Amino acid sequence: MTQTERSSTSNSPSRRHLIVGVDGSESSIDALGWARRLAELLDAEIDAVTAWHYPATDGMSTAAAEWDPSVDAARILADAVRSAFGEDQPAGLRAVVTEGHPAKVLLDASADAEMIVVGSRGHGGFVGMLLGSVSSHCAEHATCPVLVTHRKP
């Protein structure tokens, strides 16, 4: 996998790319597969993006002070990419780990993207919802097309 970046993407305008939201869920792994097919059709590269943020707490414990969520996020992203592609990763794949709310991170990263690809449901939310909060927010606020993938039953 390409080197993990720990800040917002800084893409050159001439680089055609798709942004894929990855949280390690099966839905996000499916989104990576859809992005690969679309990237081939659009002659674009894939930016697999995982966002993390510190949970709100009353105070930091010693264990929390030693915890590095960016390391966990990078592992989740690497595992998801491995699950989606195995050893046959798409050319130009970038793994991006960024601190921030997932929907905002994806929208910021997609400023010059061809498309955002997200799964309909990730980790979190309520079982039975048709659309997750991140995918819904991206679909409503993105300045580029958004593909929300759904798993087959």
mmCIF file of all heavy atoms in Angstrom, residues 71-111:
data_model
loop_
_atom_site.group_PDB
_atom_site.id
_atom_site.type_symbol
_atom_site.label_atom_id
_atom_site.label_comp_id
_atom_site.label_asym_id
_atom_site.label_seq_id
_atom_site.Cartn_x
_atom_site.Cartn_y
_atom_site.Cartn_z
ATOM 1 N N VAL A 71 -2.959 5.651 14.615
ATOM 2 C CA VAL A 71 -2.368 4.328 14.375
ATOM 3 C C VAL A 71 -3.476 3.307 14.142
ATOM 4 O O VAL A 71 -3.398 2.490 13.216
ATOM 5 C CB VAL A 71 -1.455 3.916 15.555
ATOM 6 C CG1 VAL A 71 -1.003 2.471 15.422
ATOM 7 C CG2 VAL A 71 -0.252 4.849 15.647
ATOM 8 N N ASP A 72 -4.513 3.350 14.975
ATOM 9 C CA ASP A 72 -5.652 2.447 14.780
ATOM 10 C C ASP A 72 -6.325 2.701 13.434
ATOM 11 O O ASP A 72 -6.694 1.762 12.723
ATOM 12 C CB ASP A 72 -6.685 2.618 15.894
ATOM 13 C CG ASP A 72 -6.219 2.038 17.221
ATOM 14 O OD1 ASP A 72 -5.258 1.253 17.225
ATOM 15 O OD2 ASP A 72 -6.833 2.379 18.246
ATOM 16 N N ALA A 73 -6.502 3.962 13.085
ATOM 17 C CA ALA A 73 -7.147 4.309 11.808
ATOM 18 C C ALA A 73 -6.317 3.805 10.634
ATOM 19 O O ALA A 73 -6.869 3.271 9.662
ATOM 20 C CB ALA A 73 -7.354 5.816 11.717
ATOM 21 N N ALA A 74 -5.000 3.943 10.708
ATOM 22 C CA ALA A 74 -4.129 3.459 9.628
ATOM 23 C C ALA A 74 -4.230 1.939 9.491
ATOM 24 O O ALA A 74 -4.246 1.405 8.376
ATOM 25 C CB ALA A 74 -2.687 3.883 9.885
ATOM 26 N N ARG A 75 -4.324 1.238 10.620
ATOM 27 C CA ARG A 75 -4.468 -0.221 10.577
ATOM 28 C C ARG A 75 -5.811 -0.611 9.964
ATOM 29 O O ARG A 75 -5.894 -1.517 9.136
ATOM 30 C CB ARG A 75 -4.350 -0.818 11.986
ATOM 31 C CG ARG A 75 -4.495 -2.340 12.014
ATOM 32 C CD ARG A 75 -4.581 -2.889 13.434
ATOM 33 N NE ARG A 75 -5.505 -2.168 14.293
ATOM 34 C CZ ARG A 75 -6.833 -2.303 14.270
ATOM 35 N NH1 ARG A 75 -7.416 -3.114 13.392
ATOM 36 N NH2 ARG A 75 -7.605 -1.624 15.114
ATOM 37 N N ILE A 76 -6.872 0.072 10.359
ATOM 38 C CA ILE A 76 -8.210 -0.199 9.803
ATOM 39 C C ILE A 76 -8.200 0.010 8.291
ATOM 40 O O ILE A 76 -8.721 -0.810 7.531
ATOM 41 C CB ILE A 76 -9.259 0.691 10.481
ATOM 42 C CG1 ILE A 76 -9.501 0.213 11.914
ATOM 43 C CG2 ILE A 76 -10.569 0.723 9.680
ATOM 44 C CD1 ILE A 76 -10.292 1.171 12.771
ATOM 45 N N LEU A 77 -7.579 1.092 7.857
ATOM 46 C CA LEU A 77 -7.506 1.383 6.423
ATOM 47 C C LEU A 77 -6.701 0.322 5.685
ATOM 48 O O LEU A 77 -7.120 -0.180 4.643
ATOM 49 C CB LEU A 77 -6.920 2.778 6.203
ATOM 50 C CG LEU A 77 -6.761 3.239 4.765
ATOM 51 C CD1 LEU A 77 -8.081 3.165 4.002
ATOM 52 C CD2 LEU A 77 -6.216 4.666 4.739
ATOM 53 N N ALA A 78 -5.544 -0.043 6.226
ATOM 54 C CA ALA A 78 -4.704 -1.067 5.581
ATOM 55 C C ALA A 78 -5.444 -2.401 5.485
ATOM 56 O O ALA A 78 -5.398 -3.076 4.446
ATOM 57 C CB ALA A 78 -3.394 -1.232 6.352
ATOM 58 N N ASP A 79 -6.144 -2.784 6.562
ATOM 59 C CA ASP A 79 -6.905 -4.041 6.547
ATOM 60 C C ASP A 79 -8.028 -3.995 5.512
ATOM 61 O O ASP A 79 -8.279 -4.976 4.809
ATOM 62 C CB ASP A 79 -7.486 -4.339 7.930
ATOM 63 C CG ASP A 79 -6.428 -4.714 8.963
ATOM 64 O OD1 ASP A 79 -5.263 -4.974 8.580
ATOM 65 O OD2 ASP A 79 -6.769 -4.721 10.164
ATOM 66 N N ALA A 80 -8.717 -2.863 5.414
ATOM 67 C CA ALA A 80 -9.817 -2.731 4.451
ATOM 68 C C ALA A 80 -9.299 -2.802 3.019
ATOM 69 O O ALA A 80 -9.903 -3.468 2.163
ATOM 70 C CB ALA A 80 -10.571 -1.422 4.682
ATOM 71 N N VAL A 81 -8.189 -2.128 2.751
ATOM 72 C CA VAL A 81 -7.603 -2.164 1.405
ATOM 73 C C VAL A 81 -7.174 -3.586 1.066
ATOM 74 O O VAL A 81 -7.412 -4.070 -0.048
ATOM 75 C CB VAL A 81 -6.420 -1.162 1.308
ATOM 76 C CG1 VAL A 81 -5.591 -1.410 0.062
ATOM 77 C CG2 VAL A 81 -6.943 0.264 1.347
ATOM 78 N N ARG A 82 -6.577 -4.282 2.021
ATOM 79 C CA ARG A 82 -6.169 -5.673 1.801
ATOM 80 C C ARG A 82 -7.388 -6.553 1.542
ATOM 81 O O ARG A 82 -7.376 -7.407 0.658
ATOM 82 C CB ARG A 82 -5.386 -6.178 3.014
ATOM 83 C CG ARG A 82 -4.593 -7.442 2.757
ATOM 84 C CD ARG A 82 -3.677 -7.823 3.932
ATOM 85 N NE ARG A 82 -2.865 -6.723 4.407
ATOM 86 C CZ ARG A 82 -3.062 -6.059 5.560
ATOM 87 N NH1 ARG A 82 -4.057 -6.376 6.351
ATOM 88 N NH2 ARG A 82 -2.272 -5.078 5.917
ATOM 89 N N SER A 83 -8.475 -6.325 2.288
ATOM 90 C CA SER A 83 -9.704 -7.111 2.079
ATOM 91 C C SER A 83 -10.317 -6.852 0.716
ATOM 92 O O SER A 83 -10.822 -7.764 0.073
ATOM 93 C CB SER A 83 -10.744 -6.770 3.158
ATOM 94 O OG SER A 83 -10.338 -7.246 4.397
ATOM 95 N N ALA A 84 -10.280 -5.603 0.276
ATOM 96 C CA ALA A 84 -10.893 -5.239 -1.002
ATOM 97 C C ALA A 84 -10.069 -5.697 -2.194
ATOM 98 O O ALA A 84 -10.619 -6.136 -3.202
ATOM 99 C CB ALA A 84 -11.105 -3.727 -1.070
ATOM 100 N N PHE A 85 -8.742 -5.595 -2.100
ATOM 101 C CA PHE A 85 -7.896 -5.798 -3.283
ATOM 102 C C PHE A 85 -6.889 -6.927 -3.165
ATOM 103 O O PHE A 85 -6.295 -7.309 -4.168
ATOM 104 C CB PHE A 85 -7.127 -4.511 -3.601
ATOM 105 C CG PHE A 85 -7.987 -3.296 -3.753
ATOM 106 C CD1 PHE A 85 -7.736 -2.154 -3.005
ATOM 107 C CD2 PHE A 85 -9.051 -3.282 -4.637
ATOM 108 C CE1 PHE A 85 -8.517 -1.019 -3.145
ATOM 109 C CE2 PHE A 85 -9.852 -2.154 -4.780
ATOM 110 C CZ PHE A 85 -9.581 -1.026 -4.032
ATOM 111 N N GLY A 86 -6.657 -7.432 -1.979
ATOM 112 C CA GLY A 86 -5.612 -8.435 -1.817
ATOM 113 C C GLY A 86 -4.275 -7.847 -2.208
ATOM 114 O O GLY A 86 -3.960 -6.706 -1.873
ATOM 115 N N GLU A 87 -3.504 -8.614 -2.945
ATOM 116 C CA GLU A 87 -2.185 -8.142 -3.393
ATOM 117 C C GLU A 87 -2.270 -7.356 -4.702
ATOM 118 O O GLU A 87 -1.282 -6.825 -5.175
ATOM 119 C CB GLU A 87 -1.240 -9.336 -3.571
ATOM 120 C CG GLU A 87 -0.965 -10.094 -2.285
ATOM 121 C CD GLU A 87 -0.371 -9.194 -1.200
ATOM 122 O OE1 GLU A 87 0.541 -8.407 -1.512
ATOM 123 O OE2 GLU A 87 -0.826 -9.294 -0.043
ATOM 124 N N ASP A 88 -3.461 -7.292 -5.301
ATOM 125 C CA ASP A 88 -3.650 -6.636 -6.593
ATOM 126 C C ASP A 88 -4.267 -5.243 -6.412
ATOM 127 O O ASP A 88 -5.382 -4.978 -6.845
ATOM 128 C CB ASP A 88 -4.550 -7.511 -7.475
ATOM 129 C CG ASP A 88 -4.707 -6.953 -8.877
ATOM 130 O OD1 ASP A 88 -3.782 -6.284 -9.366
ATOM 131 O OD2 ASP A 88 -5.779 -7.177 -9.473
ATOM 132 N N GLN A 89 -3.511 -4.363 -5.775
ATOM 133 C CA GLN A 89 -4.020 -3.016 -5.521
ATOM 134 C C GLN A 89 -3.981 -2.172 -6.791
ATOM 135 O O GLN A 89 -3.087 -2.322 -7.615
ATOM 136 C CB GLN A 89 -3.195 -2.331 -4.440
ATOM 137 C CG GLN A 89 -3.323 -3.015 -3.102
ATOM 138 C CD GLN A 89 -2.493 -2.336 -2.036
ATOM 139 O OE1 GLN A 89 -1.964 -1.255 -2.243
ATOM 140 N NE2 GLN A 89 -2.365 -2.977 -0.898
ATOM 141 N N PRO A 90 -4.942 -1.271 -6.946
ATOM 142 C CA PRO A 90 -4.967 -0.408 -8.128
ATOM 143 C C PRO A 90 -3.739 0.507 -8.168
ATOM 144 O O PRO A 90 -3.254 0.952 -7.119
ATOM 145 C CB PRO A 90 -6.238 0.435 -7.938
ATOM 146 C CG PRO A 90 -7.029 -0.248 -6.882
ATOM 147 C CD PRO A 90 -6.083 -1.030 -6.051
ATOM 148 N N ALA A 91 -3.284 0.789 -9.367
ATOM 149 C CA ALA A 91 -2.167 1.721 -9.527
ATOM 150 C C ALA A 91 -2.592 3.096 -9.034
ATOM 151 O O ALA A 91 -3.726 3.521 -9.244
ATOM 152 C CB ALA A 91 -1.766 1.795 -11.001
ATOM 153 N N GLY A 92 -1.696 3.779 -8.365
ATOM 154 C CA GLY A 92 -1.979 5.137 -7.912
ATOM 155 C C GLY A 92 -2.831 5.216 -6.667
ATOM 156 O O GLY A 92 -3.240 6.304 -6.263
ATOM 157 N N LEU A 93 -3.114 4.084 -6.025
ATOM 158 C CA LEU A 93 -3.910 4.098 -4.800
ATOM 159 C C LEU A 93 -3.170 4.871 -3.714
ATOM 160 O O LEU A 93 -1.984 4.646 -3.481
ATOM 161 C CB LEU A 93 -4.154 2.670 -4.314
ATOM 162 C CG LEU A 93 -4.856 2.530 -2.956
ATOM 163 C CD1 LEU A 93 -6.306 2.974 -3.065
ATOM 164 C CD2 LEU A 93 -4.765 1.101 -2.464
ATOM 165 N N ARG A 94 -3.875 5.815 -3.091
ATOM 166 C CA ARG A 94 -3.316 6.551 -1.955
ATOM 167 C C ARG A 94 -4.150 6.238 -0.723
ATOM 168 O O ARG A 94 -5.371 6.251 -0.783
ATOM 169 C CB ARG A 94 -3.359 8.062 -2.188
ATOM 170 C CG ARG A 94 -2.307 8.539 -3.127
ATOM 171 C CD ARG A 94 -2.172 10.039 -3.228
ATOM 172 N NE ARG A 94 -3.235 10.810 -2.609
ATOM 173 C CZ ARG A 94 -3.040 12.003 -2.066
ATOM 174 N NH1 ARG A 94 -1.857 12.540 -2.038
ATOM 175 N NH2 ARG A 94 -4.063 12.674 -1.559
ATOM 176 N N ALA A 95 -3.469 5.956 0.369
ATOM 177 C CA ALA A 95 -4.124 5.737 1.652
ATOM 178 C C ALA A 95 -3.954 7.012 2.462
ATOM 179 O O ALA A 95 -2.842 7.462 2.685
ATOM 180 C CB ALA A 95 -3.486 4.555 2.368
ATOM 181 N N VAL A 96 -5.073 7.595 2.878
ATOM 182 C CA VAL A 96 -5.040 8.875 3.582
ATOM 183 C C VAL A 96 -5.748 8.726 4.921
ATOM 184 O O VAL A 96 -6.911 8.338 4.969
ATOM 185 C CB VAL A 96 -5.726 9.981 2.746
ATOM 186 C CG1 VAL A 96 -5.662 11.321 3.465
ATOM 187 C CG2 VAL A 96 -5.096 10.086 1.357
ATOM 188 N N VAL A 97 -5.039 9.034 5.991
ATOM 189 C CA VAL A 97 -5.603 9.018 7.337
ATOM 190 C C VAL A 97 -5.592 10.454 7.831
ATOM 191 O O VAL A 97 -4.551 11.104 7.864
ATOM 192 C CB VAL A 97 -4.782 8.118 8.281
ATOM 193 C CG1 VAL A 97 -5.287 8.233 9.715
ATOM 194 C CG2 VAL A 97 -4.824 6.673 7.803
ATOM 195 N N THR A 98 -6.772 10.955 8.212
ATOM 196 C CA THR A 98 -6.909 12.359 8.593
ATOM 197 C C THR A 98 -7.747 12.497 9.854
ATOM 198 O O THR A 98 -8.755 11.811 10.012
ATOM 199 C CB THR A 98 -7.586 13.155 7.453
ATOM 200 O OG1 THR A 98 -6.807 12.993 6.266
ATOM 201 C CG2 THR A 98 -7.679 14.620 7.774
ATOM 202 N N GLU A 99 -7.341 13.404 10.728
ATOM 203 C CA GLU A 99 -8.133 13.704 11.914
ATOM 204 C C GLU A 99 -9.301 14.594 11.521
ATOM 205 O O GLU A 99 -9.158 15.540 10.751
ATOM 206 C CB GLU A 99 -7.292 14.420 12.957
ATOM 207 C CG GLU A 99 -8.080 14.752 14.211
ATOM 208 C CD GLU A 99 -7.252 15.443 15.278
ATOM 209 O OE1 GLU A 99 -6.079 15.774 15.025
ATOM 210 O OE2 GLU A 99 -7.792 15.651 16.378
ATOM 211 N N GLY A 100 -10.477 14.275 12.040
ATOM 212 C CA GLY A 100 -11.652 15.101 11.799
ATOM 213 C C GLY A 100 -12.903 14.259 11.680
ATOM 214 O O GLY A 100 -12.857 13.031 11.662
ATOM 215 N N HIS A 101 -14.037 14.941 11.608
ATOM 216 C CA HIS A 101 -15.302 14.245 11.428
ATOM 217 C C HIS A 101 -15.328 13.633 10.035
ATOM 218 O O HIS A 101 -14.992 14.306 9.049
ATOM 219 C CB HIS A 101 -16.480 15.210 11.615
ATOM 220 C CG HIS A 101 -17.783 14.508 11.572
ATOM 221 N ND1 HIS A 101 -18.432 14.227 10.387
ATOM 222 C CD2 HIS A 101 -18.544 13.990 12.564
ATOM 223 C CE1 HIS A 101 -19.541 13.569 10.651
ATOM 224 N NE2 HIS A 101 -19.640 13.420 11.963
ATOM 225 N N PRO A 102 -15.723 12.372 9.905
ATOM 226 C CA PRO A 102 -15.655 11.693 8.602
ATOM 227 C C PRO A 102 -16.330 12.442 7.453
ATOM 228 O O PRO A 102 -15.750 12.563 6.372
ATOM 229 C CB PRO A 102 -16.339 10.354 8.866
ATOM 230 C CG PRO A 102 -16.126 10.113 10.321
ATOM 231 C CD PRO A 102 -16.179 11.472 10.961
ATOM 232 N N ALA A 103 -17.524 12.952 7.643
ATOM 233 C CA ALA A 103 -18.216 13.643 6.547
ATOM 234 C C ALA A 103 -17.447 14.884 6.116
ATOM 235 O O ALA A 103 -17.258 15.126 4.923
ATOM 236 C CB ALA A 103 -19.639 14.015 6.968
ATOM 237 N N LYS A 104 -16.956 15.676 7.063
ATOM 238 C CA LYS A 104 -16.196 16.881 6.722
ATOM 239 C C LYS A 104 -14.889 16.534 6.027
ATOM 240 O O LYS A 104 -14.508 17.164 5.044
ATOM 241 C CB LYS A 104 -15.924 17.721 7.957
ATOM 242 C CG LYS A 104 -15.153 19.003 7.616
ATOM 243 C CD LYS A 104 -15.003 19.913 8.780
ATOM 244 C CE LYS A 104 -14.269 21.205 8.500
ATOM 245 N NZ LYS A 104 -13.591 21.393 7.263
ATOM 246 N N VAL A 105 -14.211 15.512 6.518
ATOM 247 C CA VAL A 105 -12.951 15.087 5.901
ATOM 248 C C VAL A 105 -13.187 14.670 4.453
ATOM 249 O O VAL A 105 -12.441 15.064 3.546
ATOM 250 C CB VAL A 105 -12.304 13.948 6.720
ATOM 251 C CG1 VAL A 105 -11.191 13.268 5.938
ATOM 252 C CG2 VAL A 105 -11.775 14.479 8.046
ATOM 253 N N LEU A 106 -14.226 13.883 4.210
ATOM 254 C CA LEU A 106 -14.519 13.434 2.845
ATOM 255 C C LEU A 106 -14.894 14.607 1.941
ATOM 256 O O LEU A 106 -14.441 14.689 0.794
ATOM 257 C CB LEU A 106 -15.626 12.381 2.846
ATOM 258 C CG LEU A 106 -15.268 11.051 3.501
ATOM 259 C CD1 LEU A 106 -16.497 10.154 3.581
ATOM 260 C CD2 LEU A 106 -14.130 10.366 2.761
ATOM 261 N N LEU A 107 -15.707 15.505 2.441
ATOM 262 C CA LEU A 107 -16.098 16.669 1.639
ATOM 263 C C LEU A 107 -14.893 17.553 1.329
ATOM 264 O O LEU A 107 -14.734 18.014 0.193
ATOM 265 C CB LEU A 107 -17.192 17.459 2.348
ATOM 266 C CG LEU A 107 -18.544 16.757 2.430
ATOM 267 C CD1 LEU A 107 -19.490 17.533 3.333
ATOM 268 C CD2 LEU A 107 -19.142 16.542 1.049
ATOM 269 N N ASP A 108 -14.038 17.783 2.306
ATOM 270 C CA ASP A 108 -12.830 18.589 2.066
ATOM 271 C C ASP A 108 -11.916 17.915 1.046
ATOM 272 O O ASP A 108 -11.374 18.565 0.151
ATOM 273 C CB ASP A 108 -12.067 18.819 3.368
ATOM 274 C CG ASP A 108 -12.774 19.776 4.315
ATOM 275 O OD1 ASP A 108 -13.755 20.434 3.910
ATOM 276 O OD2 ASP A 108 -12.339 19.847 5.492
ATOM 277 N N ALA A 109 -11.744 16.599 1.183
ATOM 278 C CA ALA A 109 -10.864 15.857 0.278
ATOM 279 C C ALA A 109 -11.406 15.825 -1.148
ATOM 280 O O ALA A 109 -10.655 15.688 -2.108
ATOM 281 C CB ALA A 109 -10.663 14.433 0.790
ATOM 282 N N SER A 110 -12.716 15.985 -1.290
ATOM 283 C CA SER A 110 -13.338 15.850 -2.609
ATOM 284 C C SER A 110 -13.438 17.160 -3.369
ATOM 285 O O SER A 110 -14.041 17.202 -4.449
ATOM 286 C CB SER A 110 -14.741 15.256 -2.461
ATOM 287 O OG SER A 110 -15.621 16.201 -1.867
ATOM 288 N N ALA A 111 -12.844 18.229 -2.872
ATOM 289 C CA ALA A 111 -12.973 19.550 -3.497
ATOM 290 C C ALA A 111 -12.645 19.525 -4.991
ATOM 291 O O ALA A 111 -13.292 20.205 -5.775
ATOM 292 C CB ALA A 111 -12.096 20.566 -2.765
#
